[in-house]
Amino acid sequence: MRQTRLDDFLQLEEHNKELEKKIQEEVRKNRDKDKLLFQQNKMAALGEMLGNISHQWRQPLMEINSLFLPIEAKLHMDISLDKDEMLESINKLNEITKYMSNTIDDFRDFFASDKEKIEFKLLDQINSTINIISGGLKSNNIKLDIIIKKNPTLKGYKNEYSQVLINIVNNAKDILIQRKIKNPYIKILIYEENENIITVVEDNGAGIKVVPIEKIFEPFFTYQKLNGSGLGLFMSKLIIENNMHGKLLVKNSLHGAIFKIIIPQH
């Protein structure tokens, strides 16, 4: 009788070990899937990012061209070049090339893998993020307002926060363009509340016409998103809730959609 109980106990223990192994394997597979989806989302964003680089560089390139044209004209006409004029042009060229170099740094940082959580000022990261996407907004005459009531320090994966912000802003931009909204705008509001850092992104794109509205966070959901991967908002929610232990909420206002990112300060 005792032997039978011992055998049953050993068999149960073996069964539990096998079950634990299976659970660990499934957890590992899910993590691998999340990593794969995260990378797919970044690759899907790459095309938009390249388009944004072209927007960011178009104006500086035109400015460089405008600086060279009078110099070239004077050389062809054998007109002597004024030293002060040349120095002024060189200084302007240095400013423009520095701006273009900073733009490349912002894009490179965005696609770099976050190795560990670090402390970063929210305003610095928002400025870097906006530098990536502002060209596409300006070229479509979309007004961008940023209101920061406090510049808190966050600890986390700063590039992932940027990716969430870019996903939400790009979705708003696409809807504003597709619906041909008059006087389109996107507003970003940052404030603190109950030891949480709140980021609100609001637009006047006439709202999200999906019921229930949370369906937009489902993987591969591409409502009114032309050529979209359907991963942007799904990955955004995954990043905020799994990696930053926060919440990503959405609702409609009288004029458009409101996304609310809630991240614990500690």
PDB file of all heavy atoms in Angstrom, residues 7-34:
ATOM      1  N   ASP A   7       4.620   5.381  -5.316  1.00  0.00           N
ATOM      2  CA  ASP A   7       4.629   5.402  -6.786  1.00  0.00           C
ATOM      3  C   ASP A   7       3.724   6.503  -7.324  1.00  0.00           C
ATOM      4  O   ASP A   7       4.078   7.216  -8.279  1.00  0.00           O
ATOM      5  CB  ASP A   7       4.181   4.042  -7.336  1.00  0.00           C
ATOM      6  CG  ASP A   7       5.222   2.955  -7.097  1.00  0.00           C
ATOM      7  OD1 ASP A   7       6.392   3.320  -6.836  1.00  0.00           O
ATOM      8  OD2 ASP A   7       4.870   1.768  -7.185  1.00  0.00           O
ATOM      9  N   ASP A   8       2.543   6.634  -6.699  1.00  0.00           N
ATOM     10  CA  ASP A   8       1.600   7.685  -7.133  1.00  0.00           C
ATOM     11  C   ASP A   8       2.197   9.066  -6.920  1.00  0.00           C
ATOM     12  O   ASP A   8       2.061   9.968  -7.753  1.00  0.00           O
ATOM     13  CB  ASP A   8       0.284   7.571  -6.350  1.00  0.00           C
ATOM     14  CG  ASP A   8      -0.525   6.353  -6.766  1.00  0.00           C
ATOM     15  OD1 ASP A   8      -0.223   5.804  -7.842  1.00  0.00           O
ATOM     16  OD2 ASP A   8      -1.439   5.963  -6.025  1.00  0.00           O
ATOM     17  N   PHE A   9       2.867   9.238  -5.768  1.00  0.00           N
ATOM     18  CA  PHE A   9       3.486  10.527  -5.454  1.00  0.00           C
ATOM     19  C   PHE A   9       4.591  10.859  -6.457  1.00  0.00           C
ATOM     20  O   PHE A   9       4.674  11.984  -6.957  1.00  0.00           O
ATOM     21  CB  PHE A   9       4.059  10.473  -4.029  1.00  0.00           C
ATOM     22  CG  PHE A   9       4.807  11.717  -3.653  1.00  0.00           C
ATOM     23  CD1 PHE A   9       4.134  12.884  -3.298  1.00  0.00           C
ATOM     24  CD2 PHE A   9       6.199  11.735  -3.679  1.00  0.00           C
ATOM     25  CE1 PHE A   9       4.839  14.035  -2.967  1.00  0.00           C
ATOM     26  CE2 PHE A   9       6.892  12.881  -3.351  1.00  0.00           C
ATOM     27  CZ  PHE A   9       6.207  14.041  -2.989  1.00  0.00           C
ATOM     28  N   LEU A  10       5.442   9.859  -6.735  1.00  0.00           N
ATOM     29  CA  LEU A  10       6.537  10.068  -7.689  1.00  0.00           C
ATOM     30  C   LEU A  10       6.001  10.365  -9.088  1.00  0.00           C
ATOM     31  O   LEU A  10       6.537  11.210  -9.814  1.00  0.00           O
ATOM     32  CB  LEU A  10       7.446   8.838  -7.722  1.00  0.00           C
ATOM     33  CG  LEU A  10       8.274   8.591  -6.458  1.00  0.00           C
ATOM     34  CD1 LEU A  10       9.004   7.248  -6.554  1.00  0.00           C
ATOM     35  CD2 LEU A  10       9.267   9.717  -6.207  1.00  0.00           C
ATOM     36  N   GLN A  11       4.925   9.658  -9.439  1.00  0.00           N
ATOM     37  CA  GLN A  11       4.316   9.866 -10.753  1.00  0.00           C
ATOM     38  C   GLN A  11       3.711  11.270 -10.854  1.00  0.00           C
ATOM     39  O   GLN A  11       3.839  11.952 -11.881  1.00  0.00           O
ATOM     40  CB  GLN A  11       3.232   8.813 -10.983  1.00  0.00           C
ATOM     41  CG  GLN A  11       2.717   8.781 -12.417  1.00  0.00           C
ATOM     42  CD  GLN A  11       1.741   7.629 -12.638  1.00  0.00           C
ATOM     43  OE1 GLN A  11       1.335   6.959 -11.702  1.00  0.00           O
ATOM     44  NE2 GLN A  11       1.395   7.406 -13.877  1.00  0.00           N
ATOM     45  N   LEU A  12       3.086  11.720  -9.760  1.00  0.00           N
ATOM     46  CA  LEU A  12       2.497  13.051  -9.721  1.00  0.00           C
ATOM     47  C   LEU A  12       3.586  14.132  -9.802  1.00  0.00           C
ATOM     48  O   LEU A  12       3.442  15.130 -10.495  1.00  0.00           O
ATOM     49  CB  LEU A  12       1.682  13.222  -8.442  1.00  0.00           C
ATOM     50  CG  LEU A  12       0.956  14.569  -8.263  1.00  0.00           C
ATOM     51  CD1 LEU A  12      -0.056  14.786  -9.378  1.00  0.00           C
ATOM     52  CD2 LEU A  12       0.270  14.611  -6.895  1.00  0.00           C
ATOM     53  N   GLU A  13       4.673  13.876  -9.067  1.00  0.00           N
ATOM     54  CA  GLU A  13       5.784  14.821  -9.079  1.00  0.00           C
ATOM     55  C   GLU A  13       6.395  14.927 -10.474  1.00  0.00           C
ATOM     56  O   GLU A  13       6.722  16.021 -10.953  1.00  0.00           O
ATOM     57  CB  GLU A  13       6.853  14.380  -8.073  1.00  0.00           C
ATOM     58  CG  GLU A  13       7.938  15.423  -7.848  1.00  0.00           C
ATOM     59  CD  GLU A  13       8.920  15.008  -6.786  1.00  0.00           C
ATOM     60  OE1 GLU A  13       9.099  13.793  -6.568  1.00  0.00           O
ATOM     61  OE2 GLU A  13       9.526  15.899  -6.172  1.00  0.00           O
ATOM     62  N   GLU A  14       6.530  13.784 -11.150  1.00  0.00           N
ATOM     63  CA  GLU A  14       7.063  13.766 -12.506  1.00  0.00           C
ATOM     64  C   GLU A  14       6.134  14.505 -13.462  1.00  0.00           C
ATOM     65  O   GLU A  14       6.573  15.262 -14.342  1.00  0.00           O
ATOM     66  CB  GLU A  14       7.252  12.316 -12.974  1.00  0.00           C
ATOM     67  CG  GLU A  14       7.936  12.171 -14.319  1.00  0.00           C
ATOM     68  CD  GLU A  14       9.384  12.643 -14.286  1.00  0.00           C
ATOM     69  OE1 GLU A  14      10.007  12.600 -13.207  1.00  0.00           O
ATOM     70  OE2 GLU A  14       9.878  13.075 -15.351  1.00  0.00           O
ATOM     71  N   HIS A  15       4.842  14.283 -13.251  1.00  0.00           N
ATOM     72  CA  HIS A  15       3.834  14.953 -14.079  1.00  0.00           C
ATOM     73  C   HIS A  15       3.907  16.476 -13.889  1.00  0.00           C
ATOM     74  O   HIS A  15       3.815  17.248 -14.852  1.00  0.00           O
ATOM     75  CB  HIS A  15       2.439  14.444 -13.710  1.00  0.00           C
ATOM     76  CG  HIS A  15       1.335  15.099 -14.482  1.00  0.00           C
ATOM     77  ND1 HIS A  15       1.114  14.874 -15.818  1.00  0.00           N
ATOM     78  CD2 HIS A  15       0.400  16.020 -14.089  1.00  0.00           C
ATOM     79  CE1 HIS A  15       0.100  15.597 -16.236  1.00  0.00           C
ATOM     80  NE2 HIS A  15      -0.370  16.299 -15.195  1.00  0.00           N
ATOM     81  N   ASN A  16       4.079  16.924 -12.630  1.00  0.00           N
ATOM     82  CA  ASN A  16       4.188  18.354 -12.334  1.00  0.00           C
ATOM     83  C   ASN A  16       5.424  18.967 -12.973  1.00  0.00           C
ATOM     84  O   ASN A  16       5.397  20.095 -13.464  1.00  0.00           O
ATOM     85  CB  ASN A  16       4.228  18.578 -10.813  1.00  0.00           C
ATOM     86  CG  ASN A  16       2.861  18.360 -10.166  1.00  0.00           C
ATOM     87  OD1 ASN A  16       1.838  18.451 -10.833  1.00  0.00           O
ATOM     88  ND2 ASN A  16       2.850  18.065  -8.874  1.00  0.00           N
ATOM     89  N   LYS A  17       6.532  18.217 -12.950  1.00  0.00           N
ATOM     90  CA  LYS A  17       7.767  18.685 -13.571  1.00  0.00           C
ATOM     91  C   LYS A  17       7.593  18.863 -15.077  1.00  0.00           C
ATOM     92  O   LYS A  17       8.050  19.849 -15.663  1.00  0.00           O
ATOM     93  CB  LYS A  17       8.921  17.723 -13.291  1.00  0.00           C
ATOM     94  CG  LYS A  17       9.453  17.793 -11.868  1.00  0.00           C
ATOM     95  CD  LYS A  17      10.611  16.821 -11.672  1.00  0.00           C
ATOM     96  CE  LYS A  17      11.151  16.885 -10.246  1.00  0.00           C
ATOM     97  NZ  LYS A  17      12.254  15.916 -10.013  1.00  0.00           N
ATOM     98  N   GLU A  18       6.920  17.872 -15.694  1.00  0.00           N
ATOM     99  CA  GLU A  18       6.654  17.956 -17.135  1.00  0.00           C
ATOM    100  C   GLU A  18       5.750  19.142 -17.462  1.00  0.00           C
ATOM    101  O   GLU A  18       5.955  19.858 -18.443  1.00  0.00           O
ATOM    102  CB  GLU A  18       5.998  16.655 -17.625  1.00  0.00           C
ATOM    103  CG  GLU A  18       6.925  15.466 -17.683  1.00  0.00           C
ATOM    104  CD  GLU A  18       8.041  15.661 -18.699  1.00  0.00           C
ATOM    105  OE1 GLU A  18       7.786  16.251 -19.774  1.00  0.00           O
ATOM    106  OE2 GLU A  18       9.178  15.257 -18.395  1.00  0.00           O
ATOM    107  N   LEU A  19       4.744  19.345 -16.594  1.00  0.00           N
ATOM    108  CA  LEU A  19       3.813  20.458 -16.786  1.00  0.00           C
ATOM    109  C   LEU A  19       4.537  21.795 -16.646  1.00  0.00           C
ATOM    110  O   LEU A  19       4.318  22.727 -17.436  1.00  0.00           O
ATOM    111  CB  LEU A  19       2.684  20.364 -15.763  1.00  0.00           C
ATOM    112  CG  LEU A  19       1.521  21.357 -15.931  1.00  0.00           C
ATOM    113  CD1 LEU A  19       0.838  21.193 -17.276  1.00  0.00           C
ATOM    114  CD2 LEU A  19       0.521  21.189 -14.793  1.00  0.00           C
ATOM    115  N   GLU A  20       5.434  21.877 -15.664  1.00  0.00           N
ATOM    116  CA  GLU A  20       6.207  23.098 -15.456  1.00  0.00           C
ATOM    117  C   GLU A  20       7.102  23.396 -16.651  1.00  0.00           C
ATOM    118  O   GLU A  20       7.240  24.543 -17.078  1.00  0.00           O
ATOM    119  CB  GLU A  20       7.057  22.958 -14.186  1.00  0.00           C
ATOM    120  CG  GLU A  20       7.739  24.251 -13.775  1.00  0.00           C
ATOM    121  CD  GLU A  20       8.518  24.108 -12.473  1.00  0.00           C
ATOM    122  OE1 GLU A  20       8.354  23.083 -11.790  1.00  0.00           O
ATOM    123  OE2 GLU A  20       9.301  25.024 -12.174  1.00  0.00           O
ATOM    124  N   LYS A  21       7.717  22.334 -17.207  1.00  0.00           N
ATOM    125  CA  LYS A  21       8.560  22.492 -18.399  1.00  0.00           C
ATOM    126  C   LYS A  21       7.748  23.027 -19.570  1.00  0.00           C
ATOM    127  O   LYS A  21       8.192  23.903 -20.311  1.00  0.00           O
ATOM    128  CB  LYS A  21       9.194  21.153 -18.787  1.00  0.00           C
ATOM    129  CG  LYS A  21      10.381  20.751 -17.914  1.00  0.00           C
ATOM    130  CD  LYS A  21      10.965  19.435 -18.404  1.00  0.00           C
ATOM    131  CE  LYS A  21      12.122  18.987 -17.510  1.00  0.00           C
ATOM    132  NZ  LYS A  21      12.681  17.687 -17.955  1.00  0.00           N
ATOM    133  N   LYS A  22       6.533  22.457 -19.749  1.00  0.00           N
ATOM    134  CA  LYS A  22       5.669  22.894 -20.844  1.00  0.00           C
ATOM    135  C   LYS A  22       5.266  24.359 -20.686  1.00  0.00           C
ATOM    136  O   LYS A  22       5.224  25.117 -21.653  1.00  0.00           O
ATOM    137  CB  LYS A  22       4.420  22.010 -20.917  1.00  0.00           C
ATOM    138  CG  LYS A  22       4.689  20.612 -21.463  1.00  0.00           C
ATOM    139  CD  LYS A  22       3.412  19.795 -21.535  1.00  0.00           C
ATOM    140  CE  LYS A  22       3.688  18.395 -22.093  1.00  0.00           C
ATOM    141  NZ  LYS A  22       2.451  17.578 -22.144  1.00  0.00           N
ATOM    142  N   ILE A  23       4.966  24.763 -19.440  1.00  0.00           N
ATOM    143  CA  ILE A  23       4.584  26.154 -19.170  1.00  0.00           C
ATOM    144  C   ILE A  23       5.745  27.089 -19.486  1.00  0.00           C
ATOM    145  O   ILE A  23       5.572  28.134 -20.133  1.00  0.00           O
ATOM    146  CB  ILE A  23       4.135  26.318 -17.702  1.00  0.00           C
ATOM    147  CG1 ILE A  23       2.804  25.590 -17.471  1.00  0.00           C
ATOM    148  CG2 ILE A  23       4.007  27.797 -17.337  1.00  0.00           C
ATOM    149  CD1 ILE A  23       2.376  25.518 -16.032  1.00  0.00           C
ATOM    150  N   GLN A  24       6.952  26.703 -19.027  1.00  0.00           N
ATOM    151  CA  GLN A  24       8.133  27.514 -19.297  1.00  0.00           C
ATOM    152  C   GLN A  24       8.408  27.632 -20.790  1.00  0.00           C
ATOM    153  O   GLN A  24       8.787  28.694 -21.291  1.00  0.00           O
ATOM    154  CB  GLN A  24       9.352  26.928 -18.585  1.00  0.00           C
ATOM    155  CG  GLN A  24       9.314  27.096 -17.070  1.00  0.00           C
ATOM    156  CD  GLN A  24      10.489  26.422 -16.378  1.00  0.00           C
ATOM    157  OE1 GLN A  24      11.254  25.670 -17.006  1.00  0.00           O
ATOM    158  NE2 GLN A  24      10.644  26.658 -15.078  1.00  0.00           N
ATOM    159  N   GLU A  25       8.184  26.531 -21.517  1.00  0.00           N
ATOM    160  CA  GLU A  25       8.398  26.527 -22.957  1.00  0.00           C
ATOM    161  C   GLU A  25       7.397  27.451 -23.657  1.00  0.00           C
ATOM    162  O   GLU A  25       7.752  28.197 -24.578  1.00  0.00           O
ATOM    163  CB  GLU A  25       8.259  25.095 -23.501  1.00  0.00           C
ATOM    164  CG  GLU A  25       8.466  24.955 -24.997  1.00  0.00           C
ATOM    165  CD  GLU A  25       9.879  25.287 -25.449  1.00  0.00           C
ATOM    166  OE1 GLU A  25      10.805  25.269 -24.599  1.00  0.00           O
ATOM    167  OE2 GLU A  25      10.061  25.565 -26.638  1.00  0.00           O
ATOM    168  N   GLU A  26       6.126  27.399 -23.197  1.00  0.00           N
ATOM    169  CA  GLU A  26       5.105  28.266 -23.788  1.00  0.00           C
ATOM    170  C   GLU A  26       5.388  29.738 -23.494  1.00  0.00           C
ATOM    171  O   GLU A  26       5.189  30.603 -24.359  1.00  0.00           O
ATOM    172  CB  GLU A  26       3.712  27.890 -23.254  1.00  0.00           C
ATOM    173  CG  GLU A  26       3.166  26.582 -23.798  1.00  0.00           C
ATOM    174  CD  GLU A  26       3.072  26.574 -25.316  1.00  0.00           C
ATOM    175  OE1 GLU A  26       2.601  27.581 -25.886  1.00  0.00           O
ATOM    176  OE2 GLU A  26       3.482  25.571 -25.923  1.00  0.00           O
ATOM    177  N   VAL A  27       5.865  30.018 -22.263  1.00  0.00           N
ATOM    178  CA  VAL A  27       6.223  31.391 -21.907  1.00  0.00           C
ATOM    179  C   VAL A  27       7.357  31.881 -22.789  1.00  0.00           C
ATOM    180  O   VAL A  27       7.347  33.018 -23.293  1.00  0.00           O
ATOM    181  CB  VAL A  27       6.629  31.471 -20.408  1.00  0.00           C
ATOM    182  CG1 VAL A  27       7.260  32.836 -20.102  1.00  0.00           C
ATOM    183  CG2 VAL A  27       5.412  31.253 -19.518  1.00  0.00           C
ATOM    184  N   ARG A  28       8.354  31.016 -23.010  1.00  0.00           N
ATOM    185  CA  ARG A  28       9.491  31.377 -23.872  1.00  0.00           C
ATOM    186  C   ARG A  28       9.023  31.639 -25.294  1.00  0.00           C
ATOM    187  O   ARG A  28       9.443  32.612 -25.938  1.00  0.00           O
ATOM    188  CB  ARG A  28      10.540  30.254 -23.858  1.00  0.00           C
ATOM    189  CG  ARG A  28      11.820  30.607 -24.622  1.00  0.00           C
ATOM    190  CD  ARG A  28      12.702  29.391 -24.799  1.00  0.00           C
ATOM    191  NE  ARG A  28      12.066  28.370 -25.628  1.00  0.00           N
ATOM    192  CZ  ARG A  28      11.980  28.437 -26.961  1.00  0.00           C
ATOM    193  NH1 ARG A  28      12.458  29.479 -27.614  1.00  0.00           N
ATOM    194  NH2 ARG A  28      11.386  27.459 -27.634  1.00  0.00           N
ATOM    195  N   LYS A  29       8.126  30.761 -25.803  1.00  0.00           N
ATOM    196  CA  LYS A  29       7.607  30.939 -27.159  1.00  0.00           C
ATOM    197  C   LYS A  29       6.850  32.256 -27.294  1.00  0.00           C
ATOM    198  O   LYS A  29       6.968  32.959 -28.300  1.00  0.00           O
ATOM    199  CB  LYS A  29       6.687  29.768 -27.528  1.00  0.00           C
ATOM    200  CG  LYS A  29       7.421  28.471 -27.827  1.00  0.00           C
ATOM    201  CD  LYS A  29       6.435  27.366 -28.183  1.00  0.00           C
ATOM    202  CE  LYS A  29       7.146  26.051 -28.503  1.00  0.00           C
ATOM    203  NZ  LYS A  29       6.177  24.981 -28.799  1.00  0.00           N
ATOM    204  N   ASN A  30       6.049  32.587 -26.273  1.00  0.00           N
ATOM    205  CA  ASN A  30       5.285  33.834 -26.308  1.00  0.00           C
ATOM    206  C   ASN A  30       6.213  35.047 -26.301  1.00  0.00           C
ATOM    207  O   ASN A  30       5.960  36.040 -26.982  1.00  0.00           O
ATOM    208  CB  ASN A  30       4.322  33.911 -25.117  1.00  0.00           C
ATOM    209  CG  ASN A  30       3.112  33.007 -25.296  1.00  0.00           C
ATOM    210  OD1 ASN A  30       2.722  32.701 -26.418  1.00  0.00           O
ATOM    211  ND2 ASN A  30       2.541  32.552 -24.198  1.00  0.00           N
ATOM    212  N   ARG A  31       7.296  34.951 -25.512  1.00  0.00           N
ATOM    213  CA  ARG A  31       8.268  36.041 -25.484  1.00  0.00           C
ATOM    214  C   ARG A  31       8.941  36.191 -26.846  1.00  0.00           C
ATOM    215  O   ARG A  31       9.169  37.309 -27.329  1.00  0.00           O
ATOM    216  CB  ARG A  31       9.328  35.776 -24.411  1.00  0.00           C
ATOM    217  CG  ARG A  31       8.838  36.059 -22.994  1.00  0.00           C
ATOM    218  CD  ARG A  31       9.891  35.713 -21.975  1.00  0.00           C
ATOM    219  NE  ARG A  31       9.417  35.959 -20.619  1.00  0.00           N
ATOM    220  CZ  ARG A  31      10.036  35.512 -19.533  1.00  0.00           C
ATOM    221  NH1 ARG A  31      11.136  34.798 -19.644  1.00  0.00           N
ATOM    222  NH2 ARG A  31       9.553  35.772 -18.343  1.00  0.00           N
ATOM    223  N   ASP A  32       9.266  35.050 -27.463  1.00  0.00           N
ATOM    224  CA  ASP A  32       9.877  35.089 -28.796  1.00  0.00           C
ATOM    225  C   ASP A  32       8.925  35.700 -29.814  1.00  0.00           C
ATOM    226  O   ASP A  32       9.336  36.471 -30.687  1.00  0.00           O
ATOM    227  CB  ASP A  32      10.290  33.674 -29.238  1.00  0.00           C
ATOM    228  CG  ASP A  32      11.480  33.144 -28.450  1.00  0.00           C
ATOM    229  OD1 ASP A  32      12.181  33.968 -27.823  1.00  0.00           O
ATOM    230  OD2 ASP A  32      11.705  31.918 -28.457  1.00  0.00           O
ATOM    231  N   LYS A  33       7.629  35.337 -29.676  1.00  0.00           N
ATOM    232  CA  LYS A  33       6.622  35.906 -30.586  1.00  0.00           C
ATOM    233  C   LYS A  33       6.522  37.415 -30.405  1.00  0.00           C
ATOM    234  O   LYS A  33       6.423  38.169 -31.376  1.00  0.00           O
ATOM    235  CB  LYS A  33       5.253  35.258 -30.336  1.00  0.00           C
ATOM    236  CG  LYS A  33       5.123  33.845 -30.868  1.00  0.00           C
ATOM    237  CD  LYS A  33       3.763  33.264 -30.529  1.00  0.00           C
ATOM    238  CE  LYS A  33       3.640  31.816 -30.994  1.00  0.00           C
ATOM    239  NZ  LYS A  33       2.337  31.236 -30.595  1.00  0.00           N
ATOM    240  N   ASP A  34       6.533  37.859 -29.132  1.00  0.00           N
ATOM    241  CA  ASP A  34       6.471  39.297 -28.847  1.00  0.00           C
ATOM    242  C   ASP A  34       7.665  40.016 -29.461  1.00  0.00           C
ATOM    243  O   ASP A  34       7.529  41.099 -30.039  1.00  0.00           O
ATOM    244  CB  ASP A  34       6.434  39.542 -27.336  1.00  0.00           C
ATOM    245  CG  ASP A  34       5.097  39.143 -26.724  1.00  0.00           C
ATOM    246  OD1 ASP A  34       4.139  38.927 -27.489  1.00  0.00           O
ATOM    247  OD2 ASP A  34       5.024  39.037 -25.488  1.00  0.00           O
TER     248      ASP A  34
END
